[in-house]
Amino acid sequence: MGLQDEYLRNFTVLMTEKGVVPLTDPMQIAVYNSLCAGLKRPSDIATELGVPSSSLHFVLDKMVDAGIIIRSKPDPDKKSVYYSNLALKIAGSFEPDDAAKEEAEDTFNDPARYYSGMSSVANMLDSYTSEIGLDMDRMRANYASDLADAVRDRIGKCGMEDAIVRIMKEFSDITGFKFSVFALNPLTLVFEGDRCMRSKVDMLATFVVRAIENSSGRTYHIVGREDFSNGELARVKVSFDRAEKVPEPYINMSLPQTSEVHPFMMVDLDGTAGLMTSSIQIDIVDAVYERPLCITDIVNKVNSPRSTITSNLLRMVEEGVISVFYSESGSAYYGLSCSILMKKTRPVNRDSYEISMLLGDVSARKGAFMEGYLRYTMTTLKNYGFDSDYMMVVLGAKYMRAAGRGQPKNFDIFFGKMSDIAKTIGLSLNVVSVYPLTIGINNDNADSEMSSAMTFVKGMAHQGLEMASSGIFVRSSEDTPETRNISFREIYPALSMTPVEGIRVEELADAAPAKKKRTSSVKTALKNRSAKENGRPARTVRYITGVVMLVFVAAILLISAGGDDNSADGDTFTVYGDAGFSDFTLIEDDGTELQIPLSVDANTQVSFTIMSDSVIGIGTVSNGVATAMQPDSDGRYTITVSSDLELQTLYPVSLPETGNYTAYIYSFDDKVSEKYAYNFAGYIDAVTYAEVSGGLWVNSHGAVKIQTDDGFYISDTEDKTDSVFIQKIVSLDPTVPDFHVREIKSNFITIDFSGDYIIDGRYVSGELKVGMWKQIAGLFVSTDGPVTITSTDASGDVRNINLTEGKFRFYTGNEDLKITFNQKELI
């Protein structure tokens, strides 16, 4: 995943058979959204999205490999291949509108206007997610459907008219709203309630539709919606039409998950939902979550090289994730300026007992619909492996900012505001001690689940204290089911609470950097941060595209030719390095360490040597070819910076010394799977590759394909009695493991494998030569979905091959075979 993916504002989070994964590629998101409508052929998807079919196939293969979509042939007699979704959407992003922001402002200014208790917090959550563009529609629909299932037995089985009457009563009791029947054919309902009901009509209509399906067996979907609201009274007419039940994608929940969880984090960046995927930057956020730290403290907490921390910190300052605070002595401290919404840290918990219990509780209480939504959302996110308490802290802090706006800096006033909202949601506050300041939170309703509310008040109290005192505080808490005591301690009294604005950076003194030490400074990062387009940083850190790579190659040529540069004087450019740069050190001619990313004026010449324990090279990648920079006799590299550049770590390709094969090489922009690399059609033969690049180098995402000559095969053992004749392998390691190339001397047949398989530990797809009358064992890896595998010989005889947990075994004869798989169950 490239650096451009670290602060994505266009993302989707999916539940797959392999666990919860973020979908970040715009094309893959578009394909997934397209397939939400059902089965489609590749040509249909390409036409809909307006992309060439040749480009789309690579995207589809990646998504199949990731378990996001599935490939199938509904009619085995036809060549048509179809794709459908194999993942469920958990959350995503969308572009918020002004109406949602205005509604959120009204909600936080007066949260007790329409709701009391936990329902008021739930309403704030609902308004806030709409305001920042966090799509929770799937979870909202799931909650409404599951809640309707919880009252199924009370409604019972009956005809359509009786069902409507019974559902009306349940609906009114649980939601506090009501609906009336405008027409039965087509079914048209009018929902009535207060003005905040309008944003919840989708959940309310889903509840009714599901309840009708449970009681009468009829399935409906929404076809129209008209808003006749007036002032405080909301009245929305919703039209429905009969429809076939559309099953959700089949996910085999019995498959084991990997114990390793790749964390990612949802954050609020400048009022917009974003996704962070860089593990090092997530660690930095965790380090400064409670208090601002100097860079030395961050290095010690994160336990990474200082150069890595520095480069990432400055990128985070530019993007608005981190703010810079200055002490009276001028030292820089780094604190969090975004809001963490949730963080993926654990595998999925498949136990639904807690969900079932809370649905039963909500369905039995009057007016508990919104409280149930909050509890359902928090519990579901927890089951998906998210730490979601962050969201409650953010809501509490946001309410306090709204309530305390324009108030004098007086703790008594802010404590009064805190107490008012705490009372509204069923809690009470008291000051336990003055030093350290400790606030006690008590649950006044022992029958209600209030852990989320206590976390909400914790965030509110912390925000209120800092607003009242203009200080920076760190908190700690002691919890019991009934009470929570939160202690606050002020830190850095001389530290400015207000982050330095980019417009004021010219007034700042640098934090005494070492003389002659060329680095991407805080001041430069703040300047870049101050330059915004549509409220977002105009300058962001991204991987260089292929076009810019060509510009960089031209810059390398200018080093030797001494050509003129047409860049305007006064411009500042940045040299970036890939992740591998954290493993070695760049030293300038005067012995000082060179920090990457590096910001310099246009046409600046930079010279450095590399200190590393491993044999590496640096250079650029263009059109799949890695070109290494060549140092002088003293090991010094020299570049002239005339544009933003990216240097990549390169690795020498090592090929076995044997004949009768051809090597092909390609340096990919991002990490690819073995399946993708195996089927990739754009490899460059090693001879041509060396002529273009001047050597055999690849970047960290490079791959090497080995293809034997006709009549030869690849063998890993000294045994010359092989029965499987592999003729193509792909290595994602630049040092290709040793192998033998032997001539095929025994009688063989050709098997045409449709799909993806592992045979003799090697990835196989397409034609494979094997010995006659041999036993072949393998593993089917095309998809995790339920399938059947068959073999067809040259005479047309078809045999079923037993498949157990993806493993199979069969015997060859003396005729060529075709192995195919078919989707057994597509639901």
Side-chain angles (χ1 to χ4, degrees), residues 123-370:
N123 193 39
M124 283 188 266
L125 172 66
D126 190 43
S127 299
Y128 176 65
T129 54
S130 298
E131 177 191 13
I132 64 174
L134 180 59
D135 181 2
M136 306 285 283
D137 287 351
R138 170 51 57 184
M139 198 169 299
R140 290 159 62 94
N142 288 346
Y143 167 63
S145 296
D146 290 348
L147 186 58
D149 291 345
V151 299
R152 175 190 301 161
D153 293 340
R154 296 209 297 261
I155 297 174
K157 292 289 185 180
C158 53
M160 182 65 177
E161 294 184 5
D162 289 339
I164 291 290
V165 173
R166 297 178 187 181
I167 293 169
M168 278 183 177
K169 181 180 183 307
E170 295 291 342
F171 179 87
S172 178
D173 288 345
I174 295 174
T175 68
F177 304 123
K178 64 179 182 179
F179 72 86
S180 57
V181 179
F182 184 84
L184 280 175
N185 191 18
L187 180 62
T188 306
L189 305 179
V190 178
F191 294 87
E192 297 182 33
D194 53 54
R195 59 181 297 184
C196 70
M197 184 204 73
R198 289 180 298 179
S199 62
K200 301 164 183 60
V201 170
D202 60 326
M203 285 195 291
L204 302 177
T206 300
F207 174 89
V208 174
V209 165
R210 181 71 168 194
I212 291 175
E213 179 185 341
N214 290 338
S215 57
S216 68
R218 298 186 181 185
T219 303
Y220 289 88
H221 71 275
I222 299 174
V223 295
R225 171 175 167 170
E226 296 179 81
D227 194 338
F228 298 99
S229 303
N230 183 15
E232 292 297 312
L233 177 64
R235 183 180 287 111
V236 180
K237 184 171 75 172
V238 181
S239 302
F240 304 85
D241 200 0
R242 291 288 297 273
E244 294 293 329
K245 183 176 178 60
V246 179
E248 288 189 329
Y250 171 79
I251 296 183
N252 187 355
M253 300 301 288
S254 64
L255 293 176
Q257 298 180 65
T258 58
S259 57
E260 182 181 2
V261 176
H262 298 286
F264 59 91
M265 185 182 289
M266 290 188 206
V267 295
D268 178 347
L269 282 169
D270 291 331
T272 305
L275 194 73
M276 289 182 62
T277 59
S278 167
S279 59
I280 185 68
Q281 295 188 14
I282 290 175
D283 289 342
I284 291 174
V285 168
D286 287 340
V288 302
Y289 178 67
E290 289 189 343
R291 67 179 76 184
L293 297 175
C294 66
I295 190 167
T296 300
D297 291 337
I298 297 174
V299 169
N300 293 334
K301 271 201 165 190
V302 177
N303 195 26
S304 289
R306 188 183 185 93
S307 59
T308 301
I309 298 298
T310 301
S311 61
N312 281 278
L313 267 177
L314 297 175
R315 187 181 305 125
M316 296 166 80
V317 170
E318 288 191 1
E319 291 288 348
V321 179
I322 295 294
S323 289
V324 184
F325 301 82
Y326 277 78
S327 66
E328 290 179 341
S329 63
S331 299
Y333 288 79
Y334 298 89
L336 195 63
S337 61
C338 68
S339 298
I340 305 175
L341 304 179
M342 60 189 80
K343 179 182 175 184
K344 181 73 169 71
T345 57
R346 304 181 302 276
V348 175
N349 175 16
R350 307 186 190 280
D351 187 1
S352 60
Y353 175 78
E354 189 175 356
I355 292 287
S356 300
M357 293 300 293
L358 78 83
L359 288 171
D361 177 54
V362 171
S363 64
R365 294 165 48 204
K366 290 190 175 183
F369 182 78
M370 287 305 296

Side-chain angles (χ1 to χ4, degrees), residues 567-573 600-603:
S567 299
D569 291 338
D571 286 348
T572 299
F573 296 113
V600 297
D601 293 335
N603 302 318

Side-chain angles (χ1 to χ4, degrees), residues 73 87 93 124 151 184 224 240 306 374 392 397 461 468 471 486 492 538-539 597 632 671 693 705 707 801:
K73 292 180 68 175
S93 61
M124 283 188 266
V151 299
L184 280 175
F240 304 85
R306 188 183 185 93
L374 174 66
M392 290 295 99
I486 309 173
Y492 307 130
R539 186 171 181 181
D632 61 19
K671 184 177 180 180
S693 68
K705 181 179 78 171
Q707 178 76 57
I801 297 176

Side-chain angles (χ1 to χ4, degrees), residues 360-433:
D361 177 54
V362 171
S363 64
R365 294 165 48 204
K366 290 190 175 183
F369 182 78
M370 287 305 296
E371 176 183 337
Y373 170 63
L374 174 66
R375 293 172 57 189
Y376 182 93
T377 301
M378 294 296 108
T379 303
T380 301
L381 290 173
K382 182 179 70 175
N383 288 347
Y384 282 143
F386 288 97
D387 286 337
S388 55
D389 281 352
Y390 295 105
M391 182 79 81
M392 290 295 99
V393 174
V394 170
L395 289 180
K398 184 174 175 63
Y399 162 74
M400 198 69 253
R401 288 195 296 272
R405 189 182 299 122
Q407 299 290 337
K409 292 184 179 299
N410 182 291
F411 177 75
D412 291 338
I413 293 177
F414 279 87
F415 188 78
K417 293 286 185 180
M418 299 177 205
S419 298
D420 290 343
I421 189 62
K423 184 177 181 180
T424 298
I425 62 179
L427 301 174
S428 60
L429 304 183
N430 65 291
V431 177
V432 177
S433 68

Side-chain angles (χ1 to χ4, degrees), residues 648-673:
Q648 294 200 34
T649 311
L650 303 183
Y651 305 88
V653 176
S654 175
L655 298 173
E657 295 181 0
T658 183
N660 300 310
Y661 77 87
T662 303
Y664 301 85
I665 306 173
Y666 198 88
S667 293
F668 293 96
D669 292 334
D670 294 296
K671 184 177 180 180
V672 298
S673 66

